[in-house]
């Protein structure tokens, strides 16, 4: 088995030296986590090597050297880098996911190149992928890749992790390619996010854009289930926690202390990006200086901004505004021997950054939107000598875990000011207590655990999807079922109607059986060995109307009525009289839920919500069930949630009780039950061990087999009786 990691960048640094190339591994958080996977499997990396060349000999030299490390490069042209990486990835998807709507750029060539580059990554990966391998795709640059791999390798085990926020549906829906992006992601078996909020937004987009059935953290596809889960990414805790004890870090820490003049240090570390809230932070600090002159010459803000995309207009403008704001603050408040803000516009080497973490009393981490933000975790881990206080934006994914930080709204400069004041005045005992609690969690939820948790869950899902695949009625399963059918002398065939024999339609009254279905049922009933029962939730009047003249038996309203030998029988002795309270509750729900309606049968009430927006439907269904619990308990009525319905009925009869009644009448050596709804599972559960249960549509552990599409049911039954 191999683990094939596919990311935009390979974890290497490549430099030209005297006409040759030198290659060094670069150990970022992702590389550390994936390198620590508790597995003996070989790990292969596929990605862009971070260097551009059009020379084929140079490409071969780089490729040969990378292959020695199990790294496989995807070379991109200058135009592809511009349109795929700088374009669609960072000028369309990045601002979309970080809620900067006005910064989103839409260009047809961006999207075309994004598709093209995802296809290049796919072509590089396919030769390595074997049936027992794990493929793990990383991040927003490759959202089409899982679907591309799935198309070529349908049995592959594919995971995808989204390292940035996933936006709410209302923002995501503006993306012209929203369907293609979601379908690409659904090529994965497991889709991971940093937080449950991003999970929720993704699932909301799935059922609104693609109209797919979602059950909590599962998305039901034709032949498998896609799982969605939260995996908060961590850091290499031991590396950061031990760093301040290193001689090189100690030396640099002393140098920095001298440079900063022994002041209380507030640290800010960011890549240059509009999502990081750098200007808001500076304005909050300026407000603190204005309102609290007693801290002048005592507190210094050390601001590290790592260069990023500063040739792009938006970023260049941001850099200019940061420079101007810092210049204004320092110009206004500086004194001899004290500068309020020390500004570093460059990358820091590891030892230098660790020294900065070590000497800082407060970390000010206030992004306007951030998928996780590992700076907060790195700062906490590094505090082994003196306690530090973390001020953290509620918009960072890390805020969910680090509740003992001072949590603020990064858009509110008043909150930034107050948080700085709170941190400066916090008692030592409280600092230590807060820090220890956050360190405990950060040390446990580290990057090794993140990677291993993801791969462990992916393996589990692979096993589950294999079982689901084995249940699907294909040629092998059809042959086995037909063999048992042909050998039987007495058969009971229990068939649900809506969603099984007939597709769902917008208006249930228009779901009359097709000529093809009637002919097939007539052929099935003509065999004297067969007892054919349409076991439906429909009322008996409509079943009589639709199947007039057909020699089959029926159960209506989930077994409350049944028809044998041409005569209808009623299991209930007394007519159901509906309580005014129940009717008023349902009518109130209909009034508040556009496009829902009530169907009143002889012995049951059904609230239909198939046409209703999924979020609203789920909300109203839960509200209705909750409101009905009291009156239904009092009147001994059962509430049955079904496929886009909520039904209220007497509790003593269901599709299972009707099935048992039929089984007690006669010995059958072949019993088949087929249905699509949760109500049909009552049938499945009471079948004899040799019985054949088939779920149409979503996977059900109660059924032995599965037919993913309703359109495949009549062909299956036709082949069965052939």
């Amino acid at each position: 088995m191999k683990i094939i990691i596919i990311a935009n960048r390979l974890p290497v640094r490549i430099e030209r030296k005297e006409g040759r190339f030198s290659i060094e591994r670069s150990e970022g958080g992702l590389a550390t986590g994936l390198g620590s996977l508790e597995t003996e499997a070989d790990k292969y990396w596929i990605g862009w090597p971070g260097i551009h060349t059009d020379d084929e000999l140079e490409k071969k030299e780089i490729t040969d050297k990378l292959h020695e490390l199990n790294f496989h490069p995807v070379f991109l042209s200058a135009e592809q880098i511009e349109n795929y990486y700088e374009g669609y990835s960072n000028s369309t998807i990045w601002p979309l996911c970080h809620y900067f709507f006005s910064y989103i750029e839409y260009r047809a060539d961006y999207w075309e190149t994004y598709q093209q580059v995802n296809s290049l990554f796919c072509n590089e990966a396919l030769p390595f992928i074997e049936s027992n391998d794990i493929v793990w795709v990383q991040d927003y640059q490759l959202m089409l890749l899982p679907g591309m791999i799935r198309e070529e390798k349908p049995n592959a085990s594919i995971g995808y992790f989204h390292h940035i926020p996933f936006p709410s549906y209302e923002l995501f829906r503006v993306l012209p390619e929203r369907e293609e992006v979601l379908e690409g992601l659904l090529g994965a078996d497991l889709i991971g996010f940093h937080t449950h909020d991003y999970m929720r937004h993704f699932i909301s987009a799935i059922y609104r854009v693609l109209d797919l059935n979602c059950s909590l953290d599962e998305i039901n596809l034709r032949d498998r289930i896609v799982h969605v889960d939260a995996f908060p990414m961590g850091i290499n805790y031991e590396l950061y926690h031990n760093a301040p004890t290193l001689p090189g870090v100690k030396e640099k820490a002393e140098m920095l202390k001298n440079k900063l003049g022994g002041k209380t240090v507030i640290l800010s570390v960011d890549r240059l990006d509009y999502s990081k809230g750098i200007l808001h932070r500076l304005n909050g600090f300026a407000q603190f200086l204005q309102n609290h002159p007693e801290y002048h010459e005592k507190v210094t803000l050390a601001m590290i901004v790592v260069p990023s995309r500063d040739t792009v207009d938006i970023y260049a403008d941001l850099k200019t505004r940061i420079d101007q704001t810092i210049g204004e603050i320092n110009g206004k408040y500086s004194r001899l021997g004290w500068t309020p803000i020390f500004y570093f516009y460059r990358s820091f080497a590891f030892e230098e950054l660790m020294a900065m973490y070590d000497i800082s009393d407060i970390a000010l981490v206030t992004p306007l939107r951030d998928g996780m933000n590992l700076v907060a975790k790195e700062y906490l881990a590094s505090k082994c000598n003196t306690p530090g206080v973390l001020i953290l934006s509620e918009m960072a994914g890390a805020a969910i875990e680090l509740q003992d930080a001072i949590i603020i709204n990064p858009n509110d400069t008043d909150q930034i000011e107050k948080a700085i004041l709170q941190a400066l005045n916090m008692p030592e005992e409280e600092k230590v207590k807060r820090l220890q609690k956050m360190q405990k969690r950060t040390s446990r939820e580290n990057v090794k655990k993140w990677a291993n948790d993801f791969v462990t869950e992916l393996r589990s899902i692979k096993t589950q999807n294999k079982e689901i695949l084995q249940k699907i009625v294909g040629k092998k399963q059809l042959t086995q079922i037909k063999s048992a059918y042909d050998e039987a002398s007495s058969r009971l065939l229990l068939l649900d109607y809506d969603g099984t024999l007939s597709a769902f339609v917008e208006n249930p009254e228009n779901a009359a059986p097709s000529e093809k279905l009637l002919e097939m049922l007539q052929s099935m009933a003509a065999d004297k060995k067969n007892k054919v029962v349409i076991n439906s939730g429909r009322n008996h009047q409509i079943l009589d109307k639709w199947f007039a003249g057909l020699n089959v038996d029926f159960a209506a309203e989930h077994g409350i009525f049944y028809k044998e030998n041409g005569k209808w029988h009623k299991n209930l002795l007394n007519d159901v009289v509906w309580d005014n309270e129940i009717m008023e509750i349902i009518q109130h729900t209909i009034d508040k839920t556009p496009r829902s309606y009530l169907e009143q049968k002889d012995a049951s009430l059904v609230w239909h919500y198939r046409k209703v927006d999924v979020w609203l439907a789920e909300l109203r269904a839960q509200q209705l069930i909750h409101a009905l619990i009291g009156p239904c308990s009092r009147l001994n009525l059962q509430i049955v949630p079904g496929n886009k319905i909520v039904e209220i009925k007497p509790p003593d009869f269901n599709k299972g009780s009707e099935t048992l009644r039929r089984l007690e009448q006669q010995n059958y050596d072949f019993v088949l039950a087929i249905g699509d709804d949760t109500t049909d599972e009552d049938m499945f559960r009471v079948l004899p061990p040799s019985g054949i249960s088939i779920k149409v549509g979503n996977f059900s552990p109660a059924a032995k087999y599965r037919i993913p599409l309703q359109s495949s049911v009549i062909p299956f039954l036709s082949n069965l009786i052939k």
Side-chain angles (χ1 to χ4, degrees):
M1 185 187 85
K2 302 187 295 296
I3 295 178
I4 300 162
I5 299 126
I6 311 177
N8 175 62
R9 279 290 301 269
L10 290 171
V12 293
R13 286 189 296 271
I14 301 178
E15 294 180 0
R16 284 187 177 91
K17 291 182 179 178
E18 299 176 357
R20 307 293 292 173
F21 291 97
S22 69
I23 296 178
E24 294 181 9
R25 286 178 177 267
S26 58
E27 291 299 324
L30 182 62
T32 301
L34 298 175
S36 68
L37 285 171
E38 294 167 0
T39 175
E40 295 180 1
D42 291 331
K43 289 185 279 293
Y44 288 74
W45 279 79
I46 295 170
W48 179 51
I51 193 168
H52 169 63
T53 176
D54 292 321
D55 189 303
E56 294 302 320
L57 290 176
E58 288 186 342
K59 287 181 181 179
K60 185 177 185 310
E61 181 188 347
I62 293 168
T63 300
D64 290 343
K65 289 187 175 183
L66 288 172
H67 280 180
E68 294 173 8
L69 301 170
N70 274 356
F71 291 169
H72 296 266
V74 177
F75 290 100
L76 303 177
S77 68
E79 182 183 7
Q80 286 169 334
I81 293 167
E82 176 63 27
N83 289 343
Y84 146 78
Y85 184 72
E86 297 293 346
Y88 198 78
S89 295
N90 288 326
S91 297
T92 305
I93 295 296
W94 179 270
L96 176 79
C97 287
H98 287 84
Y99 292 76
F100 284 85
F101 178 80
S102 61
Y103 290 179
I104 301 172
E105 294 180 29
Y106 299 109
R107 278 178 38 182
D109 54 341
Y110 284 178
W111 171 242
E112 289 168 9
T113 309
Y114 186 82
Q115 293 173 290
Q116 181 188 102
V117 171
N118 272 250
S119 185
L120 289 177
F121 275 81
C122 182
N123 293 337
E124 184 65 32
L126 288 176
F128 301 103
I129 301 172
E130 296 174 317
S131 59
N132 64 336
D133 291 341
I134 284 175
V135 180
W136 192 359
V137 180
Q138 306 290 333
D139 222 2
Y140 64 103
Q141 299 94 350
L142 300 171
M143 289 193 287
L144 303 180
L145 186 55
M148 291 178 172
I149 295 173
R150 178 71 58 193
E151 194 169 327
E152 298 296 327
K153 302 280 185 176
N155 298 322
S157 180
I158 305 171
Y160 169 87
F161 194 86
H162 198 72
H163 289 268
I164 63 175
F166 196 91
S168 69
Y169 165 71
E170 285 303 323
L171 188 58
F172 183 77
R173 71 190 299 193
V174 307
L175 187 69
E177 305 84 16
R178 59 194 183 184
E179 290 186 27
E180 293 93 329
V181 167
L182 292 178
E183 286 168 352
L185 292 173
L186 290 182
D189 297 298
L190 174 61
I191 300 172
F193 297 95
H194 286 301
T195 75
H196 292 94
D197 280 347
Y198 309 152
M199 266 181 71
R200 179 167 50 84
H201 293 160
F202 174 74
I203 290 172
S204 174
I206 287 292
Y207 61 60
R208 283 182 163 84
V209 175
L210 301 182
D211 195 27
L212 290 172
N213 287 324
C214 304
S215 176
L216 299 178
D217 61 345
E218 296 179 345
I219 301 162
N220 297 292
L221 302 183
R222 180 179 177 275
D223 55 356
R224 60 194 176 87
I225 290 174
V226 176
H227 288 247
V228 184
D229 212 341
F231 302 87
M233 191 174 184
I235 59 170
N236 183 345
Y237 184 84
E238 296 302 323
L239 173 68
Y240 288 94
H241 194 60
N242 295 330
T245 63
L246 299 174
V249 174
K250 287 181 176 180
E251 182 182 340
K252 286 183 169 54
E254 285 302 316
M255 289 172 57
L256 285 167
K257 280 181 184 177
N258 293 332
K259 185 175 183 180
L260 295 169
K263 305 292 189 292
T264 297
V265 178
I266 302 171
L267 177 64
S268 165
V269 182
D270 291 291
R271 182 172 57 83
L272 179 67
D273 195 272
Y274 47 76
S275 67
K276 301 301 181 182
I278 298 170
L279 287 171
H280 294 70
R281 197 175 312 156
L282 285 169
N283 291 332
F285 183 65
Q287 188 172 312
F288 166 79
L289 293 175
Q290 179 180 333
N291 294 334
H292 300 280
E294 67 273 19
Y295 284 101
H296 291 189
E297 302 183 61
K298 296 178 182 177
V299 174
T300 294
L301 173 64
M303 178 163 276
I304 299 171
V305 178
V306 179
S308 171
R309 304 184 74 210
D310 49 14
T311 57
V312 177
D313 288 346
I314 294 172
Y315 288 78
D317 178 61
L318 176 62
K319 168 69 166 55
T320 300
R321 292 170 66 194
I322 290 170
D323 293 350
Q324 289 174 346
T325 304
I326 292 173
E328 289 169 3
I329 294 170
N330 281 342
K332 183 175 182 179
Y333 293 105
S334 289
R335 301 287 184 271
L336 189 64
W338 175 62
T339 304
I341 302 174
F342 273 82
Y343 176 37
F344 306 90
Y345 185 67
R346 61 179 175 84
S347 297
F348 270 42
F350 177 76
E351 287 188 345
E352 194 176 13
L353 181 61
M354 290 305 99
M356 189 64 87
Y357 283 158
D358 186 41
I359 68 163
S360 299
D361 304 277
I362 299 166
L364 192 56
V365 183
T366 59
L368 301 178
R369 186 75 60 170
D370 218 338
M372 174 51 65
N373 195 295
L374 297 181
V375 167
K377 295 186 175 184
E378 291 171 5
Y379 175 76
L380 293 171
S382 71
K383 304 308 287 182
C384 64
N385 294 326
T386 56
V389 180
L390 174 63
I391 300 171
L392 182 60
S393 163
E394 65 185 9
M395 304 297 182
I400 293 173
E401 299 174 85
L402 305 177
Q403 286 295 303
D404 287 284
I406 300 174
I407 305 293
I408 63 160
N409 182 332
N411 297 287
D412 188 340
T413 53
D414 286 347
Q415 287 194 30
I416 295 173
E417 175 196 344
K418 290 173 184 175
I420 293 171
L421 191 63
Q422 181 184 347
L424 289 168
N425 292 317
M426 187 177 290
E428 288 296 306
E429 185 180 345
E430 184 181 348
K431 289 181 186 178
V432 172
K433 186 177 179 181
R434 285 175 178 246
L435 177 65
Q436 287 177 345
K437 287 174 73 174
M438 290 188 286
Q439 283 184 333
K440 183 178 180 181
R441 182 173 182 90
T442 307
S443 64
R444 185 174 66 250
E445 299 294 329
N446 56 42
V447 71
K448 294 179 182 179
K449 186 175 184 297
W450 169 79
N452 281 290
D453 283 354
F454 188 95
V455 171
T456 299
E457 187 163 331
L458 182 56
R459 284 173 173 157
S460 172
I461 292 164
K462 181 179 181 180
T463 302
Q464 181 184 356
N465 276 334
K466 188 175 180 182
E467 292 173 1
I468 291 170
L469 198 62
Q470 288 170 344
K471 282 192 171 190
I472 291 177
V473 177
K475 289 183 179 179
K476 178 183 175 183
Q477 291 82 0
L478 176 60
T479 301
Q480 292 170 345
I481 297 169
K482 181 163 176 53
S483 176
Y485 177 90
D486 291 341
E487 292 172 6
S489 59
S490 179
R491 313 181 188 107
L492 177 62
L493 307 171
L494 299 152
L495 312 173
D496 173 50
Y497 185 71
D498 291 286
T500 301
L501 296 179
S502 173
F504 286 111
V505 293
E506 284 197 6
N507 186 348
E509 294 177 4
N510 297 333
S514 65
E515 287 299 320
K516 185 176 181 181
L517 171 58
L518 292 172
E519 289 172 8
M520 190 271 297
L521 289 172
Q522 188 66 51
S523 298
M524 187 180 285
D527 189 331
K528 293 182 179 179
K529 296 179 181 179
N530 291 345
K531 171 65 72 175
V532 181
V533 181
I534 296 179
N535 197 357
S536 174
R538 291 274 184 174
N539 66 56
H540 65 283
Q541 293 93 343
I542 197 75
L543 293 175
D544 259 348
K545 176 184 174 182
W546 282 350
F547 296 98
L550 203 62
N551 186 27
V552 299
D553 284 356
F554 297 95
E557 298 192 35
H558 305 296
I560 291 174
F561 297 85
Y562 64 91
K563 186 177 185 180
E564 288 180 328
N565 303 317
K567 184 179 178 182
W568 280 102
H569 304 270
K570 186 176 181 181
N571 279 314
L572 282 180
L573 297 177
N574 301 313
D575 291 337
V576 178
V577 179
W578 296 108
D579 182 81
N580 285 338
E581 184 182 2
I582 289 176
M583 298 300 290
E584 287 171 3
I585 289 169
I586 296 174
Q587 187 57 52
H588 178 70
T589 302
I590 292 169
D591 293 342
K592 292 175 69 65
T593 316
R595 300 196 288 181
S596 72
Y597 64 94
L598 174 66
E599 178 189 5
Q600 186 166 348
K601 303 177 186 177
D602 290 328
S604 62
L605 297 173
V606 186
W607 178 64
H608 291 263
Y609 58 87
R610 184 164 301 280
K611 301 178 189 177
V612 179
D613 172 81
V614 177
W615 179 85
L616 180 61
E618 289 179 353
L619 173 67
R620 295 289 184 247
Q622 290 301 315
Q623 289 175 334
L624 177 61
I625 290 168
H626 181 75
L628 287 171
I629 287 173
C632 286
S633 297
R634 188 177 69 250
L635 297 168
N636 192 31
L637 293 170
Q638 183 181 18
I639 306 168
V640 183
N643 192 331
K644 312 292 185 185
I645 64 166
V646 174
E647 187 160 6
I648 302 102
K649 57 185 280 295
D652 298 327
F653 302 99
N654 56 41
K655 290 184 178 182
S657 65
E658 171 61 13
T659 301
L660 286 173
R661 192 187 67 79
R662 295 275 178 178
L663 290 170
E664 289 168 359
Q665 288 179 329
Q666 185 178 333
N667 290 324
Y668 296 98
D669 52 4
F670 180 90
V671 181
L672 179 144
I674 181 168
D676 74 297
D677 202 347
T678 52
T679 59
D680 297 302
E681 296 186 6
D682 293 330
M683 282 196 294
F684 302 157
R685 293 188 184 97
V686 300
L687 294 188
S690 60
I692 296 167
S693 51
I694 302 177
K695 181 73 182 290
V696 179
N698 295 342
F699 171 74
S700 166
K704 286 185 180 178
Y705 297 99
R706 178 171 172 244
I707 295 177
L709 300 175
Q710 183 279 326
S711 58
S712 303
V713 173
I714 295 177
F716 162 75
L717 292 172
S718 299
N719 283 320
L720 185 66
I721 65 173
K722 197 181 294 182

